[in-house]
Amino acid sequence: MIDLVVLVSGSGTNLQSILDAIESKRLDARILRVVSNLAGVRALERAEKAGVPTQVLSHKDFINRQTFDVALAETVGNPDYVVLAGFMRILTATFLDRFPYRVINIHPSLLPAFPGVDAQKQALDKGVRITGCTVHLVDAGTDTGAILAQAAVPVRDDDTRDTLAARILDQEHKILPAVLQWIAEGRLQLVDGRPRFSEVTAALSF
Ligand code: GRF
């Protein structure tokens, strides 16, 4: 069993995939709290419906990233892992140093391709035929931390940004809970920021 705090900013479908995996016992975890930097987002409704405590901490109430990150770390407390599930703020070392190798993000591209905002549009603009999603550890760079799992998604000729994003999201909803379960089972260990997979885990694909 691992204890999670999930940070969100938007629709919260990845949060929902974690909630659903816990509910159906595919994931041996508890979500202690869901924290959003935006009020009124759908992710908060999803958490409340599942009976998970929520908190809004608006970055606009702070004079800079550092002071926001200090307050955010206090709000997060001391879970085993912090999961960024559509959390649209860059976290500084002020926050990350409090949770070494314990912050996990889901990003909608096959990193290191297309880091940063609107990775789906970046993929379409480049004309790649395959893109996907990546679960990775968060470090002080933008989407640069150690890669834990990836899933590939084909790009279709008639894709728009939204059709592609939806196809990638389907895979996000599979790999994020799966990685968390690997960690909960000890099949994926995070040693000094490097992932160590058991043979069984490394052979899995989606
Ligand atoms: C996902 O595509 C995620 O990879 C990205 O933001 C989106 C969040 O979607 N970081 P949701 O809020 O989980 O529905």
Side-chain angles (χ1 to χ4, degrees):
M1 165 81 76
I2 50 173
D3 286 339
L4 309 174
V5 168
V6 182
L7 306 189
V8 297
S9 302
S11 66
T13 64
N14 279 293
L15 166 66
Q16 190 68 55
S17 76
I18 298 170
L19 290 167
D20 292 347
I22 292 171
E23 173 75 20
S24 62
K25 305 214 181 311
R26 285 175 287 123
L27 173 56
D28 189 19
R30 277 187 308 203
I31 302 181
L32 303 181
R33 182 179 296 274
V34 169
V35 182
S36 175
N37 65 310
L38 297 175
V41 294
R42 178 97 174 85
L44 291 167
E45 288 171 27
R46 295 177 191 274
E48 280 155 20
K49 192 167 173 219
V52 174
T54 61
Q55 192 146 351
V56 175
L57 194 70
S58 173
H59 57 278
K60 292 185 183 152
D61 293 340
F62 296 85
I63 51 167
N64 56 32
R65 282 189 197 277
Q66 273 69 30
T67 52
F68 173 71
D69 279 8
V70 168
L72 184 63
E74 293 300 321
T75 304
V76 164
N78 192 28
D80 295 314
Y81 293 93
V82 180
V83 180
L84 311 186
F87 184 67
M88 301 305 285
R89 301 291 301 170
I90 291 177
L91 295 168
T92 67
T94 303
F95 181 91
L96 296 172
D97 288 352
R98 296 271 292 266
F99 308 98
Y101 315 128
R102 288 159 56 202
V103 183
I104 293 169
N105 185 41
I106 176 92
H107 181 78
S109 76
L110 292 177
L111 291 171
F114 314 133
V117 294
D118 214 342
Q120 303 93 336
K121 181 167 184 304
Q122 292 185 55
L124 276 184
D125 288 349
K126 267 288 179 214
V128 295
R129 309 312 301 165
I130 295 174
T131 184
C133 49
T134 302
V135 179
H136 66 97
L137 288 183
V138 178
D139 64 14
T142 302
D143 303 318
T144 51
I147 290 170
L148 305 181
Q150 295 183 302
V153 172
V155 181
R156 297 194 184 138
D157 289 340
D158 58 352
D159 263 334
T160 62
R161 187 240 169 244
D162 289 349
T163 59
L164 181 58
R167 194 172 315 114
I168 295 171
L169 262 183
D170 280 345
Q171 293 300 312
E172 295 185 38
H173 299 159
K174 294 191 173 99
I175 65 170
L176 182 56
V179 168
L180 295 172
Q181 178 59 13
W182 296 345
I183 294 171
E185 289 176 8
R187 291 200 289 159
L188 166 55
Q189 293 179 327
L190 303 170
V191 183
D192 294 334
R194 302 306 311 173
R196 293 214 184 133
F197 296 89
S198 69
E199 283 177 34
V200 175
T201 305
L204 282 179
S205 64
F206 294 92

